[in-house]
Amino acid sequence: MSYHELLNIIINNGKRFAKITFLSIIIIYLFLTFFYPLTYNSTVSILPPEGKKGLGLGNLLAGQEDLSGLLDGASNASSQLYMEILKSRNAALYVVKKHNLKKYFNTSTDFAAAQRLSNRLNLNLTKEGIITISVEVNSSFMPLVFDNLDSLKKFSAALSNSYVEALDLINREKISSKAKRAREYIEKELLNTKGHLDSVETLLSSFQKTNKTVSLPEQIKASIESAAQLKTEIVKAEIDLNTAQNNLKEGNPALQGIRDKLQTLKNEYNKFNMGNEDYLLTFKDVPDIGKQLASLMREVKVQNELYVLLQQQYYKEKIQENRDIPTIEVLDEAIPPLSPSSPRTVFSSILGGLFVLFVLISVQLINEKKSILTRFNYSRNKKVSNV
């Protein structure tokens, strides 16, 4: 069938097609308006996490840019990590329990409700790192009769905002747990160091009274200062290693780097006892009484340095653990939407009308072809019968 024949069919049946199409649009529009369930979406957007330095071990223990960047990067979540947290069952369970969605979804368990909630969650990550979150809230059939639309709108906004709360809670708990482990480790080391410091101070005082010795030559004092500094660096490296082991997988090059650094520091420290020509005077070269005094004074100096360091670190980690600063920055909070996201009544009605028009034209074309084929067969059979 040619284009002109098709056009003639549409023109000849135009009025009938127009009436049926218009009637279909009206019926679809009325069905979508009064019967079809409405879907509301309220979107909340959050800013990407900033790559900023924290108060924790990364900056204060290592004293070096590479290690601080390593530990700080381990504690700061990326936008993609935020997305995974939002998809997690824990985030869904938080929202389910807060809004009692087990009853809303008519499920027997919170886990089943969380699964259904996750299916309605919409997440999007822009190239700038901004995350948008929305949760679909559906009405029942005949929503104008059986539902309070204002309540549905507010409910959709509340669910989206609750997901941000869940993200913030989970993220802060993750950061707090790392700080808590560090604080507990430092707290234990601090108590041990305090006990050891009290002990060696008592021994030093007793030794000085017994042997009537007060001071040491300047060369030994310089060695003690150097040894104390090295011992402090060793303890710093040990704390770095403990923290890194909690945050990094075994075999990580950074973890091995910390171990190598610790071993190098220990080797340097042992040189004070074993003797090395690089130092002005080693402890093995000091007379017996002076050696004992030097050893005690060195231990007091080392323990004092460690105690000060651990005290500073302990309070900083305690602040980090208990800080109440929101970790999630909201760009636009979710608010009740003005209109439903689905169905798009006018668009869907027109689209449905066009579909009906297409079906009408298709049916008419089929009928025309059948009619032409019937006439052709009738004419041929008539000619055969005449012969």
Side-chain angles (χ1 to χ4, degrees), residues 7-22:
L7 187 59
N8 287 332
I9 290 173
I10 295 174
I11 292 174
N12 293 335
N13 298 276
K15 290 184 179 181
R16 183 167 63 90
F17 287 172
K19 288 179 182 180
I20 296 175
T21 301
F22 181 73

Side-chain angles (χ1 to χ4, degrees), residues 167-345:
L167 172 62
D168 183 58
L169 178 65
I170 295 171
N171 196 44
R172 281 194 287 114
E173 283 180 350
K174 181 176 75 72
I175 293 174
S176 177
S177 66
K178 290 182 180 180
K180 183 179 180 180
R181 288 196 299 268
R183 192 261 303 162
E184 289 174 346
Y185 174 77
I186 294 172
E187 187 175 27
K188 182 175 67 174
E189 292 297 316
L190 186 60
L191 291 174
N192 292 337
T193 301
K194 181 66 168 65
H196 198 180
L197 177 59
D198 292 341
S199 177
V200 295
E201 283 180 339
T202 301
L203 288 174
L204 176 61
S205 176
S206 176
F207 182 86
Q208 288 174 323
K209 288 178 182 178
T210 302
N211 296 281
K212 295 181 173 51
T213 56
V214 178
S215 62
L216 290 169
E218 292 299 323
Q219 286 180 310
I220 296 299
K221 288 182 180 180
S223 296
I224 289 174
E225 291 287 342
S226 299
Q229 290 177 4
L230 268 177
K231 187 66 175 178
T232 303
E233 290 297 321
I234 288 172
V235 174
K236 285 183 181 181
E238 287 175 343
I239 298 175
D240 285 345
L241 180 61
N242 176 270
T243 305
Q245 285 174 335
N246 289 329
N247 295 302
L248 301 176
K249 292 182 179 180
E250 193 64 34
N252 189 294
L255 192 59
Q256 186 58 44
I258 299 174
R259 289 189 177 125
D260 293 343
K261 176 184 176 182
L262 177 60
Q263 187 58 50
T264 300
L265 290 172
K266 287 182 177 180
N267 292 339
E268 289 295 315
Y269 184 76
N270 290 335
K271 291 178 182 179
F272 283 102
N273 295 319
M274 297 171 60
N276 186 288
E277 61 182 3
D278 294 336
Y279 297 101
L280 295 175
L281 186 63
T282 57
F283 299 121
K284 77 181 185 68
D285 298 324
V286 182
D288 289 339
I289 292 179
K291 184 185 296 184
Q292 294 178 49
L293 178 61
S295 178
L296 288 171
M297 293 187 72
R298 177 184 62 171
E299 195 63 27
V300 169
K301 180 68 175 176
V302 168
Q303 295 304 318
N304 265 309
E305 292 279 347
L306 295 181
Y307 187 72
V308 171
L309 168 72
L310 291 171
Q311 256 195 335
Q312 292 175 346
Q313 191 58 46
Y314 174 75
Y315 286 111
K316 289 184 183 296
E317 290 300 332
K318 198 170 183 181
I319 292 171
Q320 176 80 356
E321 180 185 358
N322 294 286
R323 66 177 183 172
D324 197 25
I325 303 173
T327 59
I328 306 300
E329 296 186 62
V330 177
L331 179 60
D332 288 317
E333 189 177 27
I335 59 174
L338 298 176
S339 58
S341 59
S342 175
R344 298 166 62 184
T345 309

